[in-house]
Amino acid sequence: MDGPSEKKEKVVKEKVVKEKGATSGPGGKKKKDVKKETGLGLSVKKDENFGEWYSEVCKHEMIEYYDISGCYILRPWSMAIWEIMHAFFDAELKKMKVKNCYFPLFVSPGALERETDHIEGFAPEVAWVTKSGKSDLEVPLAIRPTSETVMYPYFSKWIRGHRDLPLKLNQWCNVVRWEFSNPTPFIRSREFLWQEGHTAFATKEEADEEVLQVLELYRRIYEEYLAVPIVKGMKSENEKFAGGLYTTSIEAFIPNTGRGVQGATSHCLGQNFAKMFEINYENEKGETAMVWQNSWAYTTRTIGVMIMTHGDDKGLILPPKIAPVQVVVIPVPYKDANTQGIFDACSATVSALSEAGIRAEEDLRDNYSPGWKYSNWEMKGVPLRIEIGPRDLENDQVRTVRRDNGVKEDIPRGGLVEHVKELLVKIQENMFEVAKQKREACVEVIKTWDEFSNALKEKKLILAPWCDEKEVEIDVKGRTKGETGAAKTLCSPFDQPELPEGTLCFASGKPAKKWTYWGRSY
């Protein structure tokens, strides 16, 4: 799924649809045969070629490929989804007394290299600016892959005494991480949007509390908004944030590919960065002390996880909470019907829904057939379609069609608003439950290496007893490395199953210390 500079996009054959019969426009005037329009539909099925399917779905008004590989244009449909998540999360941060700010995009080499573990972890991904016009810069500048080293020199300037704590900052911005192969829209791109929170506290207890508080907000984004089931847990020492004390994460799983996805992370940085950047303060006793720090982030990867989880062979399926348009109203005029009356009923329906706080639009375009519109809005993933035709007008009703399961109902217009509200709630809940059942069907509990190998081949999400040793995880990566990547730990879930005494690590045979999820990942 590379951009145009890596390979040419597969060209989907266009089908031309000729509309038959005459229709009327919004003004009620008769029109000639409607002009030809490009047909819709995906050329591949999700279960047959997941990569091509995902690429085609993304290209339908979500992204546009750019002339630099791994960089993508986010079109209004996907930006609207990001803005809905932004509005929720930003409001929650304000409840936590986190303040928004903005730091520059560029990082000096001196700042970037002060924390050695940190820069070693990010070094392969750092992009550098080396020229201004045709002149070489005297000192190259890094483009932020993350902002710890950008922000913390100023934390040391702003934090002097205990009254300056806690310091809680967040910025909504872009970052660049350059070095990788096989870029994938939303999931793995060289530039992406995110929020990044950076906070400092007087005590570790305060930092620990916030780590989990933010992780719960990330769970809510995925499960309550995107309808994607996740696991909350702790990253291994090998997979934790470079330079941090420990990393918590939420992990999603894509059944079609058998791959985990790190959904968001909340790190306790401990005092390592405070030591490197001399972020000290005078406590209540007049003594000098170092702060405890956290950083946490989620990105536009959320959108890709949602597409992979819910999409089908017709295109996107959007959960109502994040759908830019929750309800689309489509007129279905027949020959010699009261077209203007149908159009008026559509507009009145949208007005009533909009006044009730539902994101609704009517599609009154007269150069497309109703069937073409159905396909178009299905590909865009709109949760609910309302159809109004002559019979509906006569019976003072509308027909609703759910995107998630295709169920149709004829509903009296009098109680439509309340019914639509209830339907949207049901759709949101059903999408989460269906996704959860699919994910749970992929979980396999194993206890031996042979069971692990077989489960990995079957694209399972593997829960295994582990000795929690870094060298053992590195060994597992080496033993499972192949064309599709190596297996690694995803997280050790906070909700730990019982570990019977005497249970051995599946990989080393040593005493197991915890249950951990393993698998291949994006």
Side-chain angles (χ1 to χ4, degrees), residues 12 53 92 112 175 184 238 257 378 436 439 442 468 493 511:
V12 181
W53 169 86
E92 293 299 318
L112 188 66
V175 292
T184 304
N238 199 47
T257 63
E378 282 176 344
K436 188 176 180 181
R439 195 275 309 273
C442 293
D468 196 19

Side-chain angles (χ1 to χ4, degrees), residues 7 29 59 166 186 193 228 324 327 385 416 429 475:
K7 69 175 187 179
K29 296 181 180 179
K59 284 187 288 186
F186 299 114
L193 301 181
V228 173
V327 181
R385 181 173 78 239
L416 180 63
E429 292 174 348
D475 182 60

Side-chain angles (χ1 to χ4, degrees), residues 32 39 68 117 128 152 181 186 203 208 212 235 239 249 272 286 290 303 311 368 386 421 424 469 499 510:
K32 296 180 180 179
I68 298 174
D117 289 342
W128 292 88
Y152 296 166
S181 58
F186 299 114
T203 67
D208 289 339
L212 298 181
K235 284 289 192 182
E239 292 293 324
S249 71
N272 193 28
M290 279 193 300
I303 299 173
Y368 296 94
I386 290 179
K421 284 183 177 180
L424 293 177
E469 292 186 10
L499 187 66
K510 297 177 181 179

Side-chain angles (χ1 to χ4, degrees), residues 69 159 236 239 428 434 458 515:
S69 174
I159 297 172
S236 68
E239 292 293 324
Q428 184 82 28
V434 168
E458 294 173 4
W515 289 95

Side-chain angles (χ1 to χ4, degrees), residues 444-489:
E444 186 148 333
V445 181
I446 65 93
K447 291 185 179 180
T448 68
W449 179 260
D450 287 343
E451 291 174 345
F452 177 83
S453 298
N454 290 333
L456 197 61
K457 290 175 186 176
E458 294 173 4
K459 299 181 178 181
K460 298 293 186 178
L461 175 58
I462 303 167
L463 185 61
W466 181 39
C467 61
D468 196 19
E469 292 186 10
K470 188 173 183 178
E471 293 74 17
V472 173
E473 180 177 5
I474 293 172
D475 182 60
V476 171
K477 281 187 175 182
R479 293 165 71 182
T480 58
K481 191 173 183 180
E483 291 183 3
T484 56
K488 64 179 183 179
T489 59

